Amino acid sequence: MFNLILFGPPGSGKGTQSDKLVAKYGLVHLSTGNLLRQEIADKSELGLEAKKFMDMGRLVPDSVVIGMVDSFFEKNKEAKGFLFDGFPRTSAQAVALDELLHKKNTEIATVIALNVSEDELVKRLLERGKTSGRSDDNNEGVIRKRFAVYIEETSPVADHYKAKEKYFAIKGEGELDEIFDRLCVVIEQQMA
Ligand code: ADP
């Protein structure tokens, strides 16, 4: 298995690049944000609970997210690798992911972070908010809160993988295809 984490702040392009990467490398896309939005659309109990946190720009509790990832693995036993997008977002999630993968006799191969300046991120998110229908994208206060949460709770996840020498960062600004090519260079080095 080849398991990849695409890392970076809200609006850094993880979702867009994930679509291209899963198509090229045959990985299964695991976006916790998408899974949570599906739960909300289904009006499940989990979705209703998660929505309260998402609307405030806060993280959904670890236990909820980890449980959701565990059941996603159960439904995708044949995957030849996963692309994690928006997960893990806390150190506790990173530790839980290591354990879940260990049980499947596999591990994270590589983490690639997309570096984008905060001004560019706000611009992209407000632009996305016009068409995405995502209520967390059309309110600048909620966007700023998500950045604060990212710095506080998510950025320490990078250290978890730096310690394992699995962490790489690329420039996430420029043309989409340019960024994609940068990602592919790192992935192919790591696959070799
Ligand atoms: P973005 O990267 O633009 O923030 P996501 O779709 O990844 O978009 O996440 C949207 C929201 O869903 C987050 O602000 C958070 O509330 C919730 N969420 C997504 N993934 C996680 C996670 N791994 N842990 C906790 N909350 C999450």
Side-chain angles (χ1 to χ4, degrees), residues 151-169:
I151 290 165
E152 181 96 353
E153 300 186 58
T154 305
S155 58
V157 171
D159 299 328
H160 181 88
Y161 296 102
K162 280 179 191 165
K164 299 178 195 281
E165 295 181 0
K166 291 179 173 178
Y167 183 88
F168 301 85

Side-chain angles (χ1 to χ4, degrees), residues 14 32-33 37 54 58 60 86 89 93 128 134 146:
K14 301 186 297 290
T32 44
R37 280 184 291 276
M54 293 167 77
R58 294 179 48 196
V60 174
R89 243 176 166 97
Q93 290 180 17
R128 183 168 83 185
R134 277 180 57 170
R146 281 152 66 205

